[in-house]
Amino acid sequence: MGQAGTAAVSVAPGLALVVSSPGTRIAPTATVGTAVKRAPNPTYVVTPGIVFNHPFRKKKRGKVQRKIIKTLKNVPAGETVRLMTWNFDSPLFTRKFIAAHKRGVSVQIIMARGLARGQGPGRSYPTLRNALKKGNADRPKALRSWIRTCSATCRGKGGAMHSKLMLISRSGATSHIAMQGSGNFTGAAAVQQFNDWTTITENQPLYDGWMLMWKQAKKDKNVKPLRFTVPSTTTPGATITSMFAPHRGEIDPALKVLNKVQCTGATNTASGRTKVRIANAVWGDDRGVRVARKVRQLRDQGCDVRIVFMMMPLKIRNILKGLPAKQMVYITGATANKFKDRYVHLKGLSVQGNIDGRRNGNAVLSSSENWTQLGWHSDEQNVIFWDDAPLAAKYADRVDLIFRQAPRSINNYVNSADPNGRIVPGTEFLGPKDYPFHDLEAEFD
């Protein structure tokens, strides 16, 4: 891949990777309110790897939520939790993060300003803002809990804060936990959307690199691009490349993988053809065109390609015409209902086969980023797992599953998951009793 064997974190010129050690233990601080019923389990082990939810299946639609909640429940007093999410709108997650803060965990959250301002009384942002202020007096400034927003993109000049990632210093017996994926911290992420969530543990170089990005983001200032590669701690010989937008003049994360693909001569696929599986919700602008043309080229060269998506303009659909591409959008009833529609929200791809001259290569791109110009300029995370065969197989299987269930093709495309959606005057702010995910989220607790 060109990355194998990289042992140290390297960052863009002008950036120094100097962060406080996450292994340094913080003295437990005074808790707020009553003690929690179940104390964190010091022997709990956070399992690394990827999980997927399935919004159609009740027992599987909360898999991502359960993974996050179990990890959060076992963070002891004195440890740190750092979260970036485009949207935080979940009564369940709100309770869990407040509980962590009350038992002495330092909780700091960044979310998109426009969505935060759009939440009325009783919703997650104002509830967290008020709750996380309490109990900070006895804590060092760096370890006080809070939730805040950025002016637009935290690390750039435009766009939006659209990342979905979490850094945890320790949970149970596991340290240096980095988690990321396509899902926001909402009930909709579980019951409406197909999402992924990947956990990386005991990898301090990766954790430190992500923490550098976090410290940049909370300052809400324009910085240089940040990309680096470290060895995997779970798969021998594998490496992990982290690419944080804004990208500016860097190569597109999707093309960083696809440009290395040769379509024939694969030794790890039954057909000998390289298998390319793509699940990206939104393709658009010239950026989406460039990726689509590359995918078209790979298909024409003999690659085994499958695509699932949610939205793309006619120009891109025409480029991909004739390819195995399906739109995963289920619309219930005569018109769309924003609390019932189901759609693909993944933002990534998997390749198994001939990659960069390696005939049994594997690569997975998992991210928060749609293939649009807005994504290019926004706060986003892209993580490429090189030479992790189990992960590539698992991602490919998920794309194939969605492809089999997707009801629409490019030919019977619909504009969005909610084409007739509109705001009724007077309902801009939903109160807690009107928010439908209270009941839906109960099954995840």
Side-chain angles (χ1 to χ4, degrees), residues 178-435:
M179 313 177 88
Q180 68 83 33
S182 62
N184 294 292
F185 281 62
T186 67
V191 302
Q192 289 179 257
Q193 303 165 353
F194 288 90
N195 281 303
D196 69 336
W197 194 253
T198 306
T199 303
I200 305 162
T201 64
E202 306 292 353
N203 193 325
Q204 185 169 351
L206 181 138
Y207 184 98
D208 287 352
W210 288 27
M211 188 60 75
L212 170 61
M213 183 280 303
W214 163 267
K215 290 186 175 184
Q216 292 173 340
K218 73 176 184 178
K219 292 180 181 179
D220 197 9
K221 293 183 179 180
N222 187 34
V223 296
K224 295 180 179 179
L226 175 59
R227 297 183 172 194
F228 59 89
T229 298
V230 301
S232 169
T233 54
T234 56
T235 304
T239 59
I240 304 171
T241 298
S242 300
M243 310 167 74
F244 295 101
H247 300 295
R248 299 186 178 87
E250 306 296 318
I251 189 172
D252 193 293
L255 294 177
K256 186 173 180 65
V257 178
L258 296 176
N259 284 344
K260 296 178 181 290
V261 172
Q262 289 87 48
C263 290
T264 59
T267 59
N268 57 347
T269 65
S271 66
R273 300 161 61 201
T274 297
K275 183 187 291 186
V276 179
R277 296 293 184 264
I278 298 173
N280 195 275
V282 182
W283 306 42
D285 310 314
D286 290 341
R287 182 187 184 188
V289 167
R290 288 192 294 271
V291 176
R293 285 175 175 160
K294 182 61 183 182
V295 174
R296 170 93 255 175
Q297 180 188 63
L298 292 176
R299 168 70 174 185
D300 292 345
Q301 290 173 352
C303 279
D304 174 8
V305 176
R306 275 187 177 178
I307 302 165
V308 292
F309 68 97
M310 193 263 282
M311 294 179 67
M312 62 174 63
L314 179 60
K315 182 176 182 179
I316 296 177
R317 298 201 305 274
N318 285 338
I319 294 171
L320 298 175
K321 189 174 182 179
L323 272 65
K326 286 191 176 182
Q327 185 189 23
M328 171 48 88
V329 172
Y330 269 85
I331 296 180
T332 61
T335 59
N337 183 310
K338 63 183 178 180
F339 298 131
K340 295 181 181 178
D341 296 322
R342 307 289 190 267
Y343 54 96
V344 67
H345 194 251
L346 295 159
K347 298 144 193 320
L349 59 86
S350 169
V351 178
Q352 298 167 285
N354 194 342
I355 307 174
D356 204 21
R358 184 167 180 171
R359 295 177 180 272
N360 63 341
N362 295 275
V364 171
L365 167 65
S366 173
S367 79
S368 65
E369 188 171 307
N370 293 307
W371 292 338
T372 64
Q373 205 59 27
L374 179 63
W376 186 263
H377 294 294
S378 295
D379 273 302
E380 307 275 8
Q381 86 276 352
N382 292 268
V383 187
I384 304 174
F385 300 85
W386 302 103
D387 298 317
D388 191 327
L391 186 67
K394 196 169 184 178
Y395 202 99
D397 288 346
R398 178 56 46 152
V399 175
D400 285 342
L401 181 150
I402 297 172
F403 185 89
R404 291 193 298 269
Q405 297 183 341
R408 300 176 182 278
S409 68
I410 286 177
N411 294 328
N412 63 343
Y413 173 87
V414 296
N415 286 331
S416 76
D418 191 11
N420 298 311
R422 58 187 179 277
I423 296 176
V424 177
T427 65
E428 292 89 346
F429 299 129
L430 294 177
K433 292 182 180 179
D434 301 316
Y435 190 56

